Amino acid sequence: MKRNIVIAAVTAAALIGGGTATALATTGDGGGSARQAANTRLSDDDVRDDQDDRDDDAQAASGDVTAPEAIASALKHTSGTVVSAELDDEDDSDKVIWKVDVLSGDNTWHSVRVDPSNGKVLGAQTDDEDDTAQVRAALKGSSVTAEEAAKAAAGKGTVTSVDLDEDGKNKSWEAETRTSGGAEQDWKIDLTTGKVTADRSDDQDDTDDQD
């Protein structure tokens, strides 16, 4: 039906503007092809990015330093409260490191880089964050640290990240694990009890996307 409408419009334009209609028709077809090609490229890029992330996690997960150990090493270097720790590329290079975010007592954020092969601190820098008050409020009354959350999640597989979820009503630690077979799973760790439960939010998001 839409194609018939376009043809009718092009025919009408041809009667009025001569060769202009041909240009319009060609532009319309080319635009559709360009959009389709762009969508295909974006889809391929997303797949490659996901694969790169999995490769990074797999590479570093085989290292000697666990998430709790990386957190402990970061805290020896920079005192404060660890809010997150994750395996990530170092400055977009092929080297994968632990990046540990520490909130110090004076509300300064520090990003500490830890070598996953030996636990040595490679360096640190201060970061600007705008959710300090929100993080402090979420952690108020909490008895489970990021290190303890990582240890609790380690029973489910190799922890590749642990992060504070300070949004919403049910605040918690979130951890991602990888099994020896390569399967990934997200977990929630209660801030007061340390109880580990499967995170179903990603499954719900996938269902919503399919709808």
Side-chain angles (χ1 to χ4, degrees):
M1 179 64 72
K2 291 182 179 180
R3 182 175 298 177
N4 292 336
I5 294 173
V6 171
I7 292 173
V10 170
T11 302
L15 294 174
I16 298 172
T20 306
T22 302
L24 288 173
T26 302
T27 302
D29 292 340
S33 299
R35 284 193 296 272
Q36 183 177 1
N39 290 336
T40 301
R41 287 194 297 271
L42 287 174
S43 178
D44 291 342
D45 290 343
D46 290 341
V47 171
R48 283 193 294 271
D49 289 343
D50 290 342
Q51 184 61 48
D52 289 344
D53 290 341
R54 287 193 291 270
D55 291 342
D56 291 345
D57 289 349
Q59 176 185 342
S62 62
D64 296 327
V65 178
T66 64
E69 291 169 342
I71 291 172
S73 180
L75 286 175
K76 287 180 180 179
H77 180 274
T78 305
S79 61
T81 301
V82 171
V83 180
S84 70
E86 66 174 338
L87 291 167
D88 199 2
D89 292 337
E90 183 178 28
D91 299 327
D92 296 327
S93 68
D94 292 334
K95 185 175 182 179
V96 179
I97 61 170
W98 282 106
K99 288 186 177 179
V100 184
D101 289 336
V102 181
L103 178 58
S104 64
D106 61 354
N107 289 335
T108 300
W109 287 86
H110 305 267
S111 179
V112 184
R113 306 187 306 279
V114 179
D115 193 319
S117 64
N118 54 30
K120 291 183 178 180
V121 173
L122 301 173
Q125 65 184 39
T126 58
D127 287 336
D128 293 327
E129 299 287 349
D130 58 3
D131 60 346
T132 301
Q134 192 173 358
V135 168
R136 291 290 191 196
L139 290 174
K140 187 177 182 179
S142 170
S143 57
V144 177
T145 64
E147 183 177 356
E148 292 168 339
K151 288 179 179 178
K156 306 296 184 180
T158 301
V159 177
T160 56
S161 72
V162 59
D163 186 28
L164 177 66
D165 179 12
E166 73 272 19
D167 297 324
K169 181 179 179 181
N170 298 319
K171 299 171 177 57
S172 65
W173 291 107
E174 291 183 335
E176 183 178 273
T177 61
R178 174 184 288 272
T179 65
S180 57
E184 296 178 348
Q185 176 66 54
D186 293 329
W187 307 92
K188 285 185 175 294
I189 301 94
D190 191 277
L191 289 173
T192 55
T193 66
K195 181 180 179 180
V196 180
T197 56
D199 184 0
R200 302 298 183 188
S201 60
D202 287 342
D203 295 340
Q204 184 62 45
D205 290 342
D206 292 340
T207 301
D208 293 341
D209 290 340
Q210 292 174 1
D211 293 341

